[in-house]
Amino acid sequence: MEIQTFPTEMVFFDLETTVPNKTGQHFHILEFGAIIVCPRKLEEIESYTTLIQPKDLSVVSLRSSRSDGITRDKVREAPSFEDVAEKIYGLLHGRIWAGHNIRRFDCVRIKEAFAEIGKAAPEPSGIIDSLGLLSDKFGKRAGNMKMASLAAYFGLGVQKHRSLDDVRMNLEVLKHCATVLFFESTLPNQLEGQWQSSSKIMTRSRSNKQIAPRSMPYSKGGSLGKMTQNVKNLLSKAQGNQALQNLMKHSHSLIR
């Protein structure tokens, strides 16, 4: 009997940081959150989150514009990055890193933080950036493809901008996208008809609070047919992409 093997564990992680507002200022990590996921079932194995106190507390806002935001008082008694660096290293090193926009942001911030304390940064065995992956494979149907937009598209609630919550939301978004791609590849003709008959969604204007139809970005110029073909191409490519195959396998279990 052939034994099926799976890649190393995946770790979805997210950082909350300060936002520089002056030239020369740097990002400071205020929170780290991660979940280790079994790639076979996309189930959570372990989770970890911690607030992080920057060396200079003055870089942290006294108040947050978000209801669950991170304030100076919240990180005042938190450990420093150096205090939790060993734990973060153990969670990240040698695993597949996954997250939303992590290539351009989170991965860079992690390397900067380890360099600042003079320690070697963890290295991934692979990287799955859901922003790039979904923009390419899922299209722009959820608008700007930010996590908040994707969560709203699938009815997953409001993004809290707290590391562990955002990580779990990211995983659920990926599961939902994989399920949609599975349906599109299985019933392309039927779904294409459904899409064409409902190519507009209703949105509320911020200025006058009126409900108005807005065309979906994939409803013009026959792009829907192109999307169907792209899905077929995705499935072909998935034969050689273990991580993507696991996402597609999970979509089967969701509809049984």
Side-chain angles (χ1 to χ4, degrees):
M1 178 182 295
E2 182 180 355
I3 299 177
Q4 191 172 14
T5 59
F6 294 89
T8 185
E9 292 171 337
M10 301 167 62
V11 54
F12 283 75
F13 74 97
D14 178 71
L15 304 176
E16 294 298 323
T17 71
T18 59
V19 179
N21 52 26
K22 294 181 181 179
T23 303
Q25 286 186 335
H26 301 286
F27 290 94
H28 297 271
I29 298 176
L30 301 180
E31 188 176 43
F32 172 89
I35 59 173
I36 297 176
V37 175
C38 168
R40 180 175 182 176
K41 297 182 179 180
L42 293 184
E43 292 179 344
E44 183 177 324
I45 299 174
E46 179 185 346
S47 67
Y48 173 77
T49 186
T50 181
L51 289 168
I52 295 173
Q53 180 190 138
K55 291 182 178 179
D56 181 6
L57 275 175
S58 67
V59 302
V60 188
S61 300
L62 288 171
R63 297 181 180 180
S64 174
S65 59
R66 298 164 179 160
S67 59
D68 292 326
I70 299 170
T71 63
R72 191 177 300 176
D73 283 341
K74 286 187 176 181
V75 300
R76 191 180 301 275
E77 302 300 325
S80 67
F81 184 82
E82 188 168 11
D83 291 334
V84 296
E86 184 176 352
K87 175 66 176 182
I88 292 174
Y89 185 94
L91 287 166
L92 297 180
H93 187 66
R95 291 188 168 99
I96 297 172
W97 294 6
H100 205 65
N101 196 33
I102 61 171
R103 285 188 180 275
R104 292 188 298 178
F105 189 79
D106 303 78
C107 294
V108 177
R109 304 285 87 81
I110 285 291
K111 290 182 178 180
E112 289 175 349
F114 274 91
E116 187 175 347
I117 63 173
K119 294 185 178 181
E123 295 292 339
S125 61
I127 297 178
I128 298 175
D129 191 323
S130 57
L131 176 60
L133 176 67
L134 297 182
S135 295
D136 181 34
K137 306 304 181 184
F138 194 66
K140 296 292 185 179
R141 67 186 83 183
N144 58 19
M145 301 302 285
K146 291 183 178 180
M147 184 54 58
S149 301
L150 287 161
Y153 181 85
F154 288 113
L156 296 175
V158 178
Q159 184 183 8
K160 294 183 178 180
H161 293 284
R162 294 301 299 267
S163 293
L164 199 57
D165 292 319
D166 287 0
V167 163
R168 288 180 172 138
M169 179 173 279
N170 191 181
L171 180 57
E172 289 306 309
V173 163
L174 279 173
K175 291 177 181 179
H176 279 68
C177 288
T179 303
V180 170
L181 291 175
F182 169 74
F183 276 128
E184 290 175 356
S185 65
T186 305
L187 304 168
N189 296 329
Q190 292 89 328
L191 288 181
E192 183 167 350
Q194 291 289 329
W195 289 334
Q196 289 175 343
S197 64
S198 59
S199 60
K200 293 185 178 181
I201 59 175
M202 305 303 289
T203 59
R204 186 181 296 275
S205 169
R206 292 183 180 177
S207 59
N208 56 20
K209 298 183 179 180
Q210 296 296 311
I211 303 295
R214 176 170 65 87
S215 297
M216 292 300 283
Y218 55 82
S219 62
K220 297 180 180 179
S223 60
L224 194 53
K226 294 180 181 178
M227 175 58 70
T228 301
Q229 185 58 49
N230 287 340
V231 172
K232 293 178 180 178
N233 294 338
L234 169 64
L235 292 174
S236 297
K237 292 179 181 179
Q239 298 301 318
N241 187 320
Q242 185 64 61
L244 196 53
Q245 284 185 55
N246 292 332
L247 285 175
M248 296 305 295
K249 287 176 183 177
H250 180 76
S251 69
H252 286 264
S253 65
L254 288 178
I255 61 176
R256 284 174 182 168

